[in-house]
Amino acid sequence: QLQFVESGGGLVQPGGSLRLSCAASGFTLRSYTIGWFRQAPGKEREGVSCISVGGGSTHYADSVKGRFTISRDNAKNTVNLAMNSLKPEDTGVYYCAASRAFSYCSGYVSGHYGMDYWGKGTLVTVSS
């Protein structure tokens, strides 16, 4: 059984930082393309970031570029999303997802490619 657990969400003030983690049970994350997605209240889910199987390629949505960083910690079997300079529009439920394919990360962030496995999400609220 493939299973994800997202953690690290919470309430933070604008300009603050949070670090989200995606942990896996039943499989090794280093064998999968991993993406982070988010869904704001009343809006459709959108791609945020993606990291390739080897970790050599990453992609970010324009709205978070320069503020968010995705990375792998293979020793802990996790993928992390460091979020800095947070804005109220970053508020939403953040989901970790995995793909068995080796397609370009930009395709996953844009929604052109679909993910195979999804976590349950963690809530991020940016508000003063």
Side-chain angles (χ1 to χ4, degrees):
Q1 178 72 25
L2 303 183
Q3 188 171 335
F4 289 111
V5 177
E6 298 105 325
S7 63
L11 175 64
V12 65
Q13 294 182 344
S17 300
L18 285 174
R19 185 178 180 88
L20 306 183
S21 293
C22 177
S25 298
F27 64 102
T28 55
L29 287 178
R30 68 174 179 267
S31 300
Y32 295 82
T33 301
I34 303 296
W36 284 96
F37 301 78
R38 69 187 182 189
Q39 187 169 19
K43 296 186 177 181
E44 298 295 317
R45 186 161 59 191
E46 63 177 346
V48 175
S49 185
C50 173
I51 188 166
S52 64
V53 170
S57 297
T58 59
H59 190 78
Y60 301 89
D62 289 341
S63 59
V64 307
K65 195 172 299 181
R67 300 187 297 117
F68 290 12
T69 302
I70 189 171
S71 63
R72 292 182 180 272
D73 188 340
N74 292 330
K76 298 180 180 179
N77 197 28
T78 64
V79 172
N80 303 309
L81 184 69
M83 306 186 297
N84 300 312
S85 302
L86 284 163
K87 305 174 181 179
E89 51 263 43
D90 294 319
T91 294
V93 178
Y94 282 69
Y95 300 89
C96 179
S99 172
R100 296 168 294 179
F102 294 154
S103 300
Y104 289 113
C105 261
S106 60
Y108 296 102
V109 174
S110 70
H112 183 72
Y113 305 126
M115 290 292 186
D116 298 307
Y117 311 104
W118 291 83
K120 297 184 183 299
T122 185
L123 178 62
V124 172
T125 302
V126 184
S127 177
S128 58

PDB file of all heavy atoms in Angstrom, residues 10 12-18 20 37-41 43 46 48 61-65 67-68 81 83-94 122-127:
ATOM      1  N   GLY A  10       0.287  25.178   8.885  1.00  0.00           N
ATOM      2  CA  GLY A  10      -0.127  25.928  10.053  1.00  0.00           C
ATOM      3  C   GLY A  10      -0.448  27.359   9.705  1.00  0.00           C
ATOM      4  O   GLY A  10      -0.564  27.725   8.539  1.00  0.00           O
ATOM      5  N   VAL A  12       0.641  31.275   9.720  1.00  0.00           N
ATOM      6  CA  VAL A  12       1.844  32.096   9.701  1.00  0.00           C
ATOM      7  C   VAL A  12       1.486  33.492   9.208  1.00  0.00           C
ATOM      8  O   VAL A  12       0.557  33.667   8.412  1.00  0.00           O
ATOM      9  CB  VAL A  12       2.934  31.449   8.813  1.00  0.00           C
ATOM     10  CG1 VAL A  12       2.485  31.400   7.355  1.00  0.00           C
ATOM     11  CG2 VAL A  12       4.258  32.171   8.944  1.00  0.00           C
ATOM     12  N   GLN A  13       2.213  34.494   9.688  1.00  0.00           N
ATOM     13  CA  GLN A  13       1.984  35.868   9.260  1.00  0.00           C
ATOM     14  C   GLN A  13       2.603  36.133   7.898  1.00  0.00           C
ATOM     15  O   GLN A  13       3.571  35.468   7.505  1.00  0.00           O
ATOM     16  CB  GLN A  13       2.567  36.843  10.284  1.00  0.00           C
ATOM     17  CG  GLN A  13       1.867  36.814  11.633  1.00  0.00           C
ATOM     18  CD  GLN A  13       2.434  37.833  12.597  1.00  0.00           C
ATOM     19  OE1 GLN A  13       3.525  38.365  12.393  1.00  0.00           O
ATOM     20  NE2 GLN A  13       1.700  38.116  13.656  1.00  0.00           N
ATOM     21  N   PRO A  14       2.066  37.088   7.142  1.00  0.00           N
ATOM     22  CA  PRO A  14       2.706  37.455   5.876  1.00  0.00           C
ATOM     23  C   PRO A  14       4.176  37.791   6.071  1.00  0.00           C
ATOM     24  O   PRO A  14       4.547  38.475   7.023  1.00  0.00           O
ATOM     25  CB  PRO A  14       1.903  38.674   5.418  1.00  0.00           C
ATOM     26  CG  PRO A  14       0.558  38.484   6.051  1.00  0.00           C
ATOM     27  CD  PRO A  14       0.837  37.848   7.389  1.00  0.00           C
ATOM     28  N   GLY A  15       5.004  37.309   5.154  1.00  0.00           N
ATOM     29  CA  GLY A  15       6.442  37.480   5.257  1.00  0.00           C
ATOM     30  C   GLY A  15       7.141  36.378   6.012  1.00  0.00           C
ATOM     31  O   GLY A  15       8.382  36.317   5.988  1.00  0.00           O
ATOM     32  N   GLY A  16       6.396  35.508   6.653  1.00  0.00           N
ATOM     33  CA  GLY A  16       6.970  34.416   7.413  1.00  0.00           C
ATOM     34  C   GLY A  16       7.323  33.221   6.555  1.00  0.00           C
ATOM     35  O   GLY A  16       7.198  33.246   5.330  1.00  0.00           O
ATOM     36  N   SER A  17       7.749  32.147   7.223  1.00  0.00           N
ATOM     37  CA  SER A  17       8.216  30.951   6.533  1.00  0.00           C
ATOM     38  C   SER A  17       7.604  29.697   7.134  1.00  0.00           C
ATOM     39  O   SER A  17       7.301  29.642   8.326  1.00  0.00           O
ATOM     40  CB  SER A  17       9.741  30.842   6.617  1.00  0.00           C
ATOM     41  OG  SER A  17      10.383  31.947   6.022  1.00  0.00           O
ATOM     42  N   LEU A  18       7.435  28.689   6.300  1.00  0.00           N
ATOM     43  CA  LEU A  18       7.030  27.357   6.713  1.00  0.00           C
ATOM     44  C   LEU A  18       7.804  26.343   5.895  1.00  0.00           C
ATOM     45  O   LEU A  18       8.204  26.619   4.761  1.00  0.00           O
ATOM     46  CB  LEU A  18       5.532  27.127   6.515  1.00  0.00           C
ATOM     47  CG  LEU A  18       4.560  27.783   7.483  1.00  0.00           C
ATOM     48  CD1 LEU A  18       3.131  27.548   7.012  1.00  0.00           C
ATOM     49  CD2 LEU A  18       4.738  27.234   8.887  1.00  0.00           C
ATOM     50  N   LEU A  20       7.251  22.458   4.606  1.00  0.00           N
ATOM     51  CA  LEU A  20       6.391  21.304   4.463  1.00  0.00           C
ATOM     52  C   LEU A  20       7.222  20.070   4.144  1.00  0.00           C
ATOM     53  O   LEU A  20       8.231  20.156   3.444  1.00  0.00           O
ATOM     54  CB  LEU A  20       5.361  21.523   3.353  1.00  0.00           C
ATOM     55  CG  LEU A  20       4.493  22.774   3.453  1.00  0.00           C
ATOM     56  CD1 LEU A  20       3.483  22.789   2.309  1.00  0.00           C
ATOM     57  CD2 LEU A  20       3.796  22.858   4.793  1.00  0.00           C
ATOM     58  N   PHE A  37       1.216  20.547  -4.867  1.00  0.00           N
ATOM     59  CA  PHE A  37       0.059  21.249  -5.400  1.00  0.00           C
ATOM     60  C   PHE A  37      -0.668  21.931  -4.256  1.00  0.00           C
ATOM     61  O   PHE A  37      -0.480  21.587  -3.095  1.00  0.00           O
ATOM     62  CB  PHE A  37      -0.883  20.272  -6.116  1.00  0.00           C
ATOM     63  CG  PHE A  37      -0.243  19.536  -7.258  1.00  0.00           C
ATOM     64  CD1 PHE A  37       0.591  18.454  -7.038  1.00  0.00           C
ATOM     65  CD2 PHE A  37      -0.479  19.930  -8.570  1.00  0.00           C
ATOM     66  CE1 PHE A  37       1.187  17.773  -8.080  1.00  0.00           C
ATOM     67  CE2 PHE A  37       0.107  19.258  -9.628  1.00  0.00           C
ATOM     68  CZ  PHE A  37       0.940  18.190  -9.383  1.00  0.00           C
ATOM     69  N   ARG A  38      -1.505  22.903  -4.580  1.00  0.00           N
ATOM     70  CA  ARG A  38      -2.280  23.570  -3.550  1.00  0.00           C
ATOM     71  C   ARG A  38      -3.656  23.931  -4.085  1.00  0.00           C
ATOM     72  O   ARG A  38      -3.859  24.090  -5.291  1.00  0.00           O
ATOM     73  CB  ARG A  38      -1.569  24.820  -3.034  1.00  0.00           C
ATOM     74  CG  ARG A  38      -1.487  25.964  -4.042  1.00  0.00           C
ATOM     75  CD  ARG A  38      -0.633  27.089  -3.501  1.00  0.00           C
ATOM     76  NE  ARG A  38      -0.560  28.218  -4.416  1.00  0.00           N
ATOM     77  CZ  ARG A  38       0.249  29.252  -4.268  1.00  0.00           C
ATOM     78  NH1 ARG A  38       1.067  29.313  -3.223  1.00  0.00           N
ATOM     79  NH2 ARG A  38       0.247  30.246  -5.154  1.00  0.00           N
ATOM     80  N   GLN A  39      -4.593  24.060  -3.163  1.00  0.00           N
ATOM     81  CA  GLN A  39      -5.945  24.461  -3.503  1.00  0.00           C
ATOM     82  C   GLN A  39      -6.398  25.529  -2.514  1.00  0.00           C
ATOM     83  O   GLN A  39      -6.541  25.255  -1.323  1.00  0.00           O
ATOM     84  CB  GLN A  39      -6.901  23.270  -3.482  1.00  0.00           C
ATOM     85  CG  GLN A  39      -8.293  23.599  -3.981  1.00  0.00           C
ATOM     86  CD  GLN A  39      -9.141  22.363  -4.201  1.00  0.00           C
ATOM     87  OE1 GLN A  39      -8.845  21.295  -3.672  1.00  0.00           O
ATOM     88  NE2 GLN A  39     -10.186  22.500  -4.985  1.00  0.00           N
ATOM     89  N   ALA A  40      -6.609  26.729  -3.025  1.00  0.00           N
ATOM     90  CA  ALA A  40      -7.099  27.828  -2.209  1.00  0.00           C
ATOM     91  C   ALA A  40      -8.602  27.693  -2.017  1.00  0.00           C
ATOM     92  O   ALA A  40      -9.290  27.061  -2.833  1.00  0.00           O
ATOM     93  CB  ALA A  40      -6.760  29.161  -2.862  1.00  0.00           C
ATOM     94  N   PRO A  41      -9.148  28.289  -0.958  1.00  0.00           N
ATOM     95  CA  PRO A  41     -10.588  28.205  -0.732  1.00  0.00           C
ATOM     96  C   PRO A  41     -11.385  28.712  -1.924  1.00  0.00           C
ATOM     97  O   PRO A  41     -11.155  29.825  -2.412  1.00  0.00           O
ATOM     98  CB  PRO A  41     -10.798  29.086   0.499  1.00  0.00           C
ATOM     99  CG  PRO A  41      -9.484  29.056   1.212  1.00  0.00           C
ATOM    100  CD  PRO A  41      -8.451  29.007   0.119  1.00  0.00           C
ATOM    101  N   LYS A  43     -11.283  27.746  -4.997  1.00  0.00           N
ATOM    102  CA  LYS A  43     -10.578  27.739  -6.268  1.00  0.00           C
ATOM    103  C   LYS A  43     -10.122  26.332  -6.636  1.00  0.00           C
ATOM    104  O   LYS A  43     -10.129  25.423  -5.810  1.00  0.00           O
ATOM    105  CB  LYS A  43      -9.372  28.682  -6.218  1.00  0.00           C
ATOM    106  CG  LYS A  43      -9.739  30.139  -6.030  1.00  0.00           C
ATOM    107  CD  LYS A  43      -8.525  31.037  -6.132  1.00  0.00           C
ATOM    108  CE  LYS A  43      -8.915  32.494  -6.017  1.00  0.00           C
ATOM    109  NZ  LYS A  43      -7.740  33.391  -6.128  1.00  0.00           N
ATOM    110  N   GLU A  46      -3.951  23.824  -8.099  1.00  0.00           N
ATOM    111  CA  GLU A  46      -2.930  24.248  -9.030  1.00  0.00           C
ATOM    112  C   GLU A  46      -1.572  23.664  -8.652  1.00  0.00           C
ATOM    113  O   GLU A  46      -1.299  23.391  -7.482  1.00  0.00           O
ATOM    114  CB  GLU A  46      -2.831  25.771  -9.076  1.00  0.00           C
ATOM    115  CG  GLU A  46      -2.408  26.395  -7.757  1.00  0.00           C
ATOM    116  CD  GLU A  46      -2.242  27.901  -7.837  1.00  0.00           C
ATOM    117  OE1 GLU A  46      -2.195  28.455  -8.951  1.00  0.00           O
ATOM    118  OE2 GLU A  46      -2.164  28.539  -6.762  1.00  0.00           O
ATOM    119  N   VAL A  48       2.350  23.743  -7.859  1.00  0.00           N
ATOM    120  CA  VAL A  48       3.248  24.669  -7.178  1.00  0.00           C
ATOM    121  C   VAL A  48       4.699  24.410  -7.558  1.00  0.00           C
ATOM    122  O   VAL A  48       5.424  25.328  -7.948  1.00  0.00           O
ATOM    123  CB  VAL A  48       3.079  24.583  -5.654  1.00  0.00           C
ATOM    124  CG1 VAL A  48       4.103  25.465  -4.944  1.00  0.00           C
ATOM    125  CG2 VAL A  48       1.661  24.974  -5.254  1.00  0.00           C
ATOM    126  N   ALA A  61       5.897  27.144 -10.158  1.00  0.00           N
ATOM    127  CA  ALA A  61       4.924  28.076 -10.698  1.00  0.00           C
ATOM    128  C   ALA A  61       5.461  29.495 -10.579  1.00  0.00           C
ATOM    129  O   ALA A  61       6.196  29.823  -9.643  1.00  0.00           O
ATOM    130  CB  ALA A  61       3.596  27.951  -9.955  1.00  0.00           C
ATOM    131  N   ASP A  62       5.101  30.353 -11.536  1.00  0.00           N
ATOM    132  CA  ASP A  62       5.599  31.724 -11.522  1.00  0.00           C
ATOM    133  C   ASP A  62       5.249  32.448 -10.218  1.00  0.00           C
ATOM    134  O   ASP A  62       6.015  33.287  -9.741  1.00  0.00           O
ATOM    135  CB  ASP A  62       5.039  32.501 -12.702  1.00  0.00           C
ATOM    136  CG  ASP A  62       5.634  32.068 -14.025  1.00  0.00           C
ATOM    137  OD1 ASP A  62       6.709  31.446 -14.028  1.00  0.00           O
ATOM    138  OD2 ASP A  62       5.018  32.361 -15.074  1.00  0.00           O
ATOM    139  N   SER A  63       4.123  32.112  -9.629  1.00  0.00           N
ATOM    140  CA  SER A  63       3.667  32.800  -8.438  1.00  0.00           C
ATOM    141  C   SER A  63       4.532  32.539  -7.212  1.00  0.00           C
ATOM    142  O   SER A  63       4.487  33.312  -6.251  1.00  0.00           O
ATOM    143  CB  SER A  63       2.215  32.411  -8.132  1.00  0.00           C
ATOM    144  OG  SER A  63       2.099  31.017  -7.936  1.00  0.00           O
ATOM    145  N   VAL A  64       5.323  31.452  -7.220  1.00  0.00           N
ATOM    146  CA  VAL A  64       6.148  31.106  -6.061  1.00  0.00           C
ATOM    147  C   VAL A  64       7.633  31.120  -6.370  1.00  0.00           C
ATOM    148  O   VAL A  64       8.449  30.933  -5.458  1.00  0.00           O
ATOM    149  CB  VAL A  64       5.761  29.736  -5.476  1.00  0.00           C
ATOM    150  CG1 VAL A  64       4.267  29.675  -5.192  1.00  0.00           C
ATOM    151  CG2 VAL A  64       6.173  28.605  -6.413  1.00  0.00           C
ATOM    152  N   LYS A  65       8.004  31.341  -7.608  1.00  0.00           N
ATOM    153  CA  LYS A  65       9.405  31.302  -8.013  1.00  0.00           C
ATOM    154  C   LYS A  65      10.219  32.333  -7.233  1.00  0.00           C
ATOM    155  O   LYS A  65       9.826  33.493  -7.117  1.00  0.00           O
ATOM    156  CB  LYS A  65       9.511  31.543  -9.514  1.00  0.00           C
ATOM    157  CG  LYS A  65      10.853  31.178 -10.124  1.00  0.00           C
ATOM    158  CD  LYS A  65      10.791  31.264 -11.649  1.00  0.00           C
ATOM    159  CE  LYS A  65       9.763  30.294 -12.217  1.00  0.00           C
ATOM    160  NZ  LYS A  65       9.702  30.335 -13.708  1.00  0.00           N
ATOM    161  N   ARG A  67      10.706  32.209  -4.048  1.00  0.00           N
ATOM    162  CA  ARG A  67      10.284  32.174  -2.654  1.00  0.00           C
ATOM    163  C   ARG A  67      10.218  30.757  -2.093  1.00  0.00           C
ATOM    164  O   ARG A  67      10.439  30.554  -0.904  1.00  0.00           O
ATOM    165  CB  ARG A  67       8.917  32.836  -2.488  1.00  0.00           C
ATOM    166  CG  ARG A  67       8.884  34.296  -2.919  1.00  0.00           C
ATOM    167  CD  ARG A  67       7.549  34.951  -2.570  1.00  0.00           C
ATOM    168  NE  ARG A  67       6.435  34.333  -3.286  1.00  0.00           N
ATOM    169  CZ  ARG A  67       5.421  33.698  -2.699  1.00  0.00           C
ATOM    170  NH1 ARG A  67       5.370  33.612  -1.370  1.00  0.00           N
ATOM    171  NH2 ARG A  67       4.444  33.183  -3.426  1.00  0.00           N
ATOM    172  N   PHE A  68       9.899  29.782  -2.941  1.00  0.00           N
ATOM    173  CA  PHE A  68       9.766  28.383  -2.523  1.00  0.00           C
ATOM    174  C   PHE A  68      10.936  27.572  -3.066  1.00  0.00           C
ATOM    175  O   PHE A  68      11.442  27.845  -4.165  1.00  0.00           O
ATOM    176  CB  PHE A  68       8.470  27.771  -3.056  1.00  0.00           C
ATOM    177  CG  PHE A  68       7.206  28.300  -2.423  1.00  0.00           C
ATOM    178  CD1 PHE A  68       7.208  29.425  -1.622  1.00  0.00           C
ATOM    179  CD2 PHE A  68       6.008  27.645  -2.650  1.00  0.00           C
ATOM    180  CE1 PHE A  68       6.044  29.904  -1.050  1.00  0.00           C
ATOM    181  CE2 PHE A  68       4.830  28.109  -2.084  1.00  0.00           C
ATOM    182  CZ  PHE A  68       4.846  29.234  -1.288  1.00  0.00           C
ATOM    183  N   LEU A  81       9.306  21.127   1.023  1.00  0.00           N
ATOM    184  CA  LEU A  81       9.017  22.383   0.347  1.00  0.00           C
ATOM    185  C   LEU A  81       9.237  23.502   1.350  1.00  0.00           C
ATOM    186  O   LEU A  81       8.432  23.674   2.274  1.00  0.00           O
ATOM    187  CB  LEU A  81       7.585  22.411  -0.191  1.00  0.00           C
ATOM    188  CG  LEU A  81       7.219  23.649  -1.008  1.00  0.00           C
ATOM    189  CD1 LEU A  81       7.975  23.654  -2.334  1.00  0.00           C
ATOM    190  CD2 LEU A  81       5.717  23.716  -1.254  1.00  0.00           C
ATOM    191  N   MET A  83       9.101  27.269   2.206  1.00  0.00           N
ATOM    192  CA  MET A  83       8.308  28.395   1.743  1.00  0.00           C
ATOM    193  C   MET A  83       8.719  29.635   2.531  1.00  0.00           C
ATOM    194  O   MET A  83       8.575  29.672   3.758  1.00  0.00           O
ATOM    195  CB  MET A  83       6.815  28.117   1.915  1.00  0.00           C
ATOM    196  CG  MET A  83       6.361  26.820   1.249  1.00  0.00           C
ATOM    197  SD  MET A  83       4.565  26.593   1.306  1.00  0.00           S
ATOM    198  CE  MET A  83       4.319  26.487   3.080  1.00  0.00           C
ATOM    199  N   ASN A  84       9.213  30.632   1.827  1.00  0.00           N
ATOM    200  CA  ASN A  84       9.661  31.878   2.434  1.00  0.00           C
ATOM    201  C   ASN A  84       8.858  33.051   1.890  1.00  0.00           C
ATOM    202  O   ASN A  84       8.221  32.956   0.843  1.00  0.00           O
ATOM    203  CB  ASN A  84      11.151  32.098   2.165  1.00  0.00           C
ATOM    204  CG  ASN A  84      12.020  30.995   2.706  1.00  0.00           C
ATOM    205  OD1 ASN A  84      11.878  30.584   3.855  1.00  0.00           O
ATOM    206  ND2 ASN A  84      12.945  30.512   1.876  1.00  0.00           N
ATOM    207  N   SER A  85       8.912  34.167   2.603  1.00  0.00           N
ATOM    208  CA  SER A  85       8.219  35.389   2.185  1.00  0.00           C
ATOM    209  C   SER A  85       6.766  35.113   1.827  1.00  0.00           C
ATOM    210  O   SER A  85       6.266  35.526   0.779  1.00  0.00           O
ATOM    211  CB  SER A  85       8.952  36.034   1.003  1.00  0.00           C
ATOM    212  OG  SER A  85      10.295  36.332   1.337  1.00  0.00           O
ATOM    213  N   LEU A  86       6.082  34.413   2.697  1.00  0.00           N
ATOM    214  CA  LEU A  86       4.726  33.965   2.410  1.00  0.00           C
ATOM    215  C   LEU A  86       3.751  35.136   2.298  1.00  0.00           C
ATOM    216  O   LEU A  86       3.872  36.140   3.001  1.00  0.00           O
ATOM    217  CB  LEU A  86       4.258  32.990   3.480  1.00  0.00           C
ATOM    218  CG  LEU A  86       4.852  31.582   3.349  1.00  0.00           C
ATOM    219  CD1 LEU A  86       4.698  30.809   4.642  1.00  0.00           C
ATOM    220  CD2 LEU A  86       4.193  30.840   2.190  1.00  0.00           C
ATOM    221  N   LYS A  87       2.793  34.971   1.397  1.00  0.00           N
ATOM    222  CA  LYS A  87       1.776  35.970   1.119  1.00  0.00           C
ATOM    223  C   LYS A  87       0.395  35.395   1.416  1.00  0.00           C
ATOM    224  O   LYS A  87       0.209  34.183   1.375  1.00  0.00           O
ATOM    225  CB  LYS A  87       1.842  36.400  -0.348  1.00  0.00           C
ATOM    226  CG  LYS A  87       3.204  36.896  -0.810  1.00  0.00           C
ATOM    227  CD  LYS A  87       3.203  37.162  -2.305  1.00  0.00           C
ATOM    228  CE  LYS A  87       4.551  37.641  -2.781  1.00  0.00           C
ATOM    229  NZ  LYS A  87       4.561  37.877  -4.250  1.00  0.00           N
ATOM    230  N   PRO A  88      -0.587  36.245   1.683  1.00  0.00           N
ATOM    231  CA  PRO A  88      -1.939  35.728   1.917  1.00  0.00           C
ATOM    232  C   PRO A  88      -2.455  34.855   0.779  1.00  0.00           C
ATOM    233  O   PRO A  88      -3.195  33.898   1.032  1.00  0.00           O
ATOM    234  CB  PRO A  88      -2.774  37.004   2.069  1.00  0.00           C
ATOM    235  CG  PRO A  88      -1.814  38.002   2.621  1.00  0.00           C
ATOM    236  CD  PRO A  88      -0.505  37.691   1.941  1.00  0.00           C
ATOM    237  N   GLU A  89      -2.079  35.152  -0.458  1.00  0.00           N
ATOM    238  CA  GLU A  89      -2.530  34.358  -1.587  1.00  0.00           C
ATOM    239  C   GLU A  89      -1.895  32.976  -1.648  1.00  0.00           C
ATOM    240  O   GLU A  89      -2.279  32.152  -2.483  1.00  0.00           O
ATOM    241  CB  GLU A  89      -2.299  35.102  -2.914  1.00  0.00           C
ATOM    242  CG  GLU A  89      -0.890  35.637  -3.084  1.00  0.00           C
ATOM    243  CD  GLU A  89      -0.766  37.100  -2.690  1.00  0.00           C
ATOM    244  OE1 GLU A  89      -1.329  37.494  -1.649  1.00  0.00           O
ATOM    245  OE2 GLU A  89      -0.110  37.858  -3.429  1.00  0.00           O
ATOM    246  N   ASP A  90      -0.925  32.680  -0.776  1.00  0.00           N
ATOM    247  CA  ASP A  90      -0.369  31.346  -0.665  1.00  0.00           C
ATOM    248  C   ASP A  90      -1.241  30.427   0.186  1.00  0.00           C
ATOM    249  O   ASP A  90      -0.956  29.230   0.277  1.00  0.00           O
ATOM    250  CB  ASP A  90       1.037  31.387  -0.057  1.00  0.00           C
ATOM    251  CG  ASP A  90       2.041  32.082  -0.963  1.00  0.00           C
ATOM    252  OD1 ASP A  90       2.009  31.862  -2.186  1.00  0.00           O
ATOM    253  OD2 ASP A  90       2.879  32.842  -0.428  1.00  0.00           O
ATOM    254  N   THR A  91      -2.263  30.959   0.802  1.00  0.00           N
ATOM    255  CA  THR A  91      -3.147  30.177   1.655  1.00  0.00           C
ATOM    256  C   THR A  91      -3.831  29.062   0.870  1.00  0.00           C
ATOM    257  O   THR A  91      -4.291  29.269  -0.257  1.00  0.00           O
ATOM    258  CB  THR A  91      -4.202  31.082   2.297  1.00  0.00           C
ATOM    259  OG1 THR A  91      -3.559  31.986   3.204  1.00  0.00           O
ATOM    260  CG2 THR A  91      -5.237  30.271   3.064  1.00  0.00           C
ATOM    261  N   GLY A  92      -3.900  27.879   1.456  1.00  0.00           N
ATOM    262  CA  GLY A  92      -4.582  26.767   0.831  1.00  0.00           C
ATOM    263  C   GLY A  92      -4.152  25.447   1.433  1.00  0.00           C
ATOM    264  O   GLY A  92      -3.283  25.393   2.301  1.00  0.00           O
ATOM    265  N   VAL A  93      -4.769  24.388   0.957  1.00  0.00           N
ATOM    266  CA  VAL A  93      -4.366  23.037   1.326  1.00  0.00           C
ATOM    267  C   VAL A  93      -3.287  22.586   0.355  1.00  0.00           C
ATOM    268  O   VAL A  93      -3.484  22.624  -0.863  1.00  0.00           O
ATOM    269  CB  VAL A  93      -5.554  22.068   1.305  1.00  0.00           C
ATOM    270  CG1 VAL A  93      -5.093  20.655   1.634  1.00  0.00           C
ATOM    271  CG2 VAL A  93      -6.623  22.514   2.293  1.00  0.00           C
ATOM    272  N   TYR A  94      -2.162  22.161   0.887  1.00  0.00           N
ATOM    273  CA  TYR A  94      -1.026  21.738   0.075  1.00  0.00           C
ATOM    274  C   TYR A  94      -0.954  20.220   0.034  1.00  0.00           C
ATOM    275  O   TYR A  94      -1.009  19.554   1.069  1.00  0.00           O
ATOM    276  CB  TYR A  94       0.275  22.314   0.634  1.00  0.00           C
ATOM    277  CG  TYR A  94       0.473  23.773   0.286  1.00  0.00           C
ATOM    278  CD1 TYR A  94      -0.330  24.753   0.842  1.00  0.00           C
ATOM    279  CD2 TYR A  94       1.470  24.163  -0.614  1.00  0.00           C
ATOM    280  CE1 TYR A  94      -0.164  26.089   0.508  1.00  0.00           C
ATOM    281  CE2 TYR A  94       1.643  25.494  -0.939  1.00  0.00           C
ATOM    282  CZ  TYR A  94       0.826  26.452  -0.378  1.00  0.00           C
ATOM    283  OH  TYR A  94       1.000  27.782  -0.708  1.00  0.00           O
ATOM    284  N   THR A 122      -2.104  19.198   3.727  1.00  0.00           N
ATOM    285  CA  THR A 122      -1.874  19.922   4.969  1.00  0.00           C
ATOM    286  C   THR A 122      -2.226  21.392   4.739  1.00  0.00           C
ATOM    287  O   THR A 122      -1.908  21.962   3.697  1.00  0.00           O
ATOM    288  CB  THR A 122      -0.416  19.764   5.451  1.00  0.00           C
ATOM    289  OG1 THR A 122      -0.253  20.389   6.725  1.00  0.00           O
ATOM    290  CG2 THR A 122       0.576  20.360   4.460  1.00  0.00           C
ATOM    291  N   LEU A 123      -2.895  22.004   5.699  1.00  0.00           N
ATOM    292  CA  LEU A 123      -3.426  23.350   5.529  1.00  0.00           C
ATOM    293  C   LEU A 123      -2.386  24.399   5.884  1.00  0.00           C
ATOM    294  O   LEU A 123      -1.777  24.355   6.957  1.00  0.00           O
ATOM    295  CB  LEU A 123      -4.668  23.541   6.401  1.00  0.00           C
ATOM    296  CG  LEU A 123      -5.317  24.925   6.383  1.00  0.00           C
ATOM    297  CD1 LEU A 123      -5.815  25.269   4.984  1.00  0.00           C
ATOM    298  CD2 LEU A 123      -6.453  24.996   7.385  1.00  0.00           C
ATOM    299  N   VAL A 124      -2.206  25.361   4.972  1.00  0.00           N
ATOM    300  CA  VAL A 124      -1.348  26.516   5.194  1.00  0.00           C
ATOM    301  C   VAL A 124      -2.222  27.764   5.165  1.00  0.00           C
ATOM    302  O   VAL A 124      -2.930  28.004   4.187  1.00  0.00           O
ATOM    303  CB  VAL A 124      -0.248  26.616   4.117  1.00  0.00           C
ATOM    304  CG1 VAL A 124       0.523  27.927   4.246  1.00  0.00           C
ATOM    305  CG2 VAL A 124       0.700  25.434   4.216  1.00  0.00           C
ATOM    306  N   THR A 125      -2.166  28.551   6.230  1.00  0.00           N
ATOM    307  CA  THR A 125      -2.925  29.789   6.314  1.00  0.00           C
ATOM    308  C   THR A 125      -1.966  30.942   6.561  1.00  0.00           C
ATOM    309  O   THR A 125      -1.243  30.950   7.559  1.00  0.00           O
ATOM    310  CB  THR A 125      -3.965  29.726   7.437  1.00  0.00           C
ATOM    311  OG1 THR A 125      -4.846  28.619   7.222  1.00  0.00           O
ATOM    312  CG2 THR A 125      -4.784  31.010   7.465  1.00  0.00           C
ATOM    313  N   VAL A 126      -1.959  31.907   5.653  1.00  0.00           N
ATOM    314  CA  VAL A 126      -1.099  33.087   5.760  1.00  0.00           C
ATOM    315  C   VAL A 126      -2.003  34.280   6.035  1.00  0.00           C
ATOM    316  O   VAL A 126      -2.745  34.725   5.157  1.00  0.00           O
ATOM    317  CB  VAL A 126      -0.267  33.310   4.492  1.00  0.00           C
ATOM    318  CG1 VAL A 126       0.690  34.478   4.692  1.00  0.00           C
ATOM    319  CG2 VAL A 126       0.496  32.045   4.122  1.00  0.00           C
ATOM    320  N   SER A 127      -1.938  34.790   7.246  1.00  0.00           N
ATOM    321  CA  SER A 127      -2.834  35.867   7.654  1.00  0.00           C
ATOM    322  C   SER A 127      -2.238  36.615   8.835  1.00  0.00           C
ATOM    323  O   SER A 127      -1.542  36.046   9.671  1.00  0.00           O
ATOM    324  CB  SER A 127      -4.205  35.308   8.039  1.00  0.00           C
ATOM    325  OG  SER A 127      -5.062  36.329   8.511  1.00  0.00           O
TER     326      SER A 127
END
